Amino acid sequence: MEYNFSNKVVLVTGASAGIGEATALLLAKMGARLSLVGRNEKNLKSVAERCKKDGASATLTIVADLGTDEGCEKTAKKTLEHFGRLDVLVNNAAIGAVDLIEKGDMAVFDKLFNVNLRSVYNLTRLLVPALIASKGNIVNVSSLAGTWVNKGAVSYSMAKAALDHFTRLIALELGPKGVRANTVSPGITISQFHQRMTGESDEQYQDFLTRTSKIIPLGEPCTSEDIGKMIVHIASDHSRMVTGTLVLVDGGLQFSSLGDVLTETLK
Ligand SMILES: NC(=O)c1ccc[n+]([C@@H]2O[C@H](COP(=O)([O-])OP(=O)(O)OC[C@H]3O[C@@H](n4cnc5c(N)ncnc54)[C@H](OP(=O)(O)O)[C@@H]3O)[C@@H](O)[C@H]2O)c1
């Protein structure tokens, strides 16, 4: 089974690092034309260069803060001006935050919902006409946090749960127009995400990965490429009858705490 994205225009948000970067590099090898969005211009340009070397038939870099209306409008406008069409929209960019309701901070809540949810609604709204024209599809990158109930990231988890439902709602609305929409939800995945959120050192992050690997049934965290591969599969024609669904890529982490609790009660 081969993946072919030649002549397809794919917009990847958060392409300057982690999962977005890995997804862009995979799509480049499949000949996609790529619109790459992020805030860090240097990283974005470096990813675009590697995409070109790997086979991308064209790359466009857009430096934009998707947490602003201007950033979303610029992204949609530049992509359509440059390529004249859009086949796949990968809404991947997001930030994390540690928060508990007892220490609730409205600034954190607003920032999380703005960058992780409002921007997705806004960018999708702006690009839906182009996706209807191409009979394209949308992949929203969510998180196990949106499905699971876990402590310490209330705003982030709520925003991801809302994103999951957004996928279902637009899948229903846009299906009759030939547009698919799906969610890929990573579990613990090696990228800059965790350290950006916690401020932990490299050593502390390695320790976090070692500790969490013990509760992941498959015994290790995901790589950004593991997630990218699922994004590519869902976005490809091989998934032509898949819409409104949520695919967890988490090494089985979703079952770990429930499994532990049940085992304890059976003792
Ligand atoms: N890593 C994990 O363990 C994990 C687990 C579950 C879900 N996820 C989800 O996976 C997705 C990708 O995360 P990652 O692990 O690849 O994180 P990452 O390494 O921190 O990368 C995040 C990307 O999003 C971009 N971004 C953040 N805020 C932005 C904004 N306001 N405007 C434009 N771009 C923005 C960043 O751009 P710049 O670097 O240029 O600022 C970067 O390219 C996110 O949706 C995250 O919630 C990750």
Side-chain angles (χ1 to χ4, degrees):
M1 197 162 85
E2 285 195 0
Y3 294 94
N4 186 354
F5 280 83
S6 54
N7 295 321
K8 300 242 170 160
V9 177
V10 185
L11 192 166
V12 182
T13 70
S16 47
I19 292 168
E21 172 182 353
T23 305
L25 289 166
L26 287 166
L27 287 163
K29 290 186 184 124
M30 295 157 195
R33 292 185 280 165
L34 294 165
S35 179
L36 307 172
V37 188
R39 292 171 302 182
N40 184 318
E41 187 168 13
K42 192 166 158 260
N43 288 353
L44 206 54
K45 289 248 153 74
S46 149
V47 173
E49 278 307 312
R50 279 181 284 142
C51 283
K52 265 187 227 154
K53 275 192 203 132
D54 281 359
S57 47
T59 55
L60 170 72
T61 53
I62 303 173
V63 178
D65 180 352
L66 294 168
T68 66
D69 286 352
E70 305 79 62
C72 290
E73 283 155 16
K74 176 181 166 185
T75 298
K77 191 163 174 272
K78 285 206 162 209
T79 301
L80 296 179
E81 269 174 12
H82 190 84
F83 292 112
R85 63 180 288 135
L86 181 68
D87 297 279
V88 180
L89 169 61
V90 181
N91 285 311
N92 164 74
I95 50 169
V98 179
D99 77 329
L100 291 161
I101 192 63
E102 284 179 283
K103 294 179 182 162
D105 178 341
M106 292 320 295
V108 172
F109 179 93
D110 287 343
K111 189 159 187 211
L112 258 288
F113 270 71
N114 196 33
V115 175
N116 294 5
L117 192 63
R118 190 179 189 279
S119 72
V120 175
Y121 183 98
N122 199 1
L123 192 60
T124 306
R125 164 187 83 95
L126 294 167
L127 290 167
V128 150
L131 291 166
I132 291 173
S134 66
K135 299 207 183 304
N137 74 86
I138 300 159
V139 182
N140 292 322
V141 181
S142 182
S143 169
L144 175 59
T147 307
W148 219 16
V149 181
N150 205 12
K151 265 193 207 161
V154 177
S155 304
Y156 176 77
S157 306
M158 285 170 69
K160 290 298 193 184
L163 177 66
D164 296 349
H165 209 48
F166 173 66
T167 302
R168 297 179 195 108
L169 295 165
I170 61 172
L172 179 66
E173 180 183 333
L174 300 175
K177 302 203 166 159
V179 177
R180 300 186 294 111
N182 292 289
T183 300
V184 172
S185 270
I188 294 166
T189 304
I190 301 167
S191 76
Q192 293 172 29
F193 186 84
H194 183 85
Q195 283 177 281
R196 283 179 170 184
M197 177 172 71
T198 59
E200 284 179 2
S201 66
D202 290 350
E203 202 183 0
Q204 286 170 317
Y205 182 51
Q206 282 311 316
D207 186 49
F208 164 80
L209 292 176
T210 306
R211 280 185 285 114
T212 50
S213 292
K214 292 185 184 137
I215 57 158
I216 299 171
L218 289 181
E220 58 181 295
C222 300
T223 63
S224 288
E225 202 177 59
D226 290 325
I227 312 301
K229 283 178 180 164
M230 184 56 74
I231 294 171
V232 168
H233 180 69
I234 291 287
S236 78
D237 293 342
H238 294 301
S239 301
R240 68 175 198 96
M241 290 303 286
V242 179
T243 196
T245 200
L246 182 154
V247 184
L248 282 167
V249 184
D250 67 347
L253 181 59
Q254 61 188 298
F255 301 119
S256 65
S257 68
L258 179 64
D260 291 347
V261 171
L262 287 180
T263 311
E264 282 304 310
T265 56
L266 291 172
K267 272 182 190 164

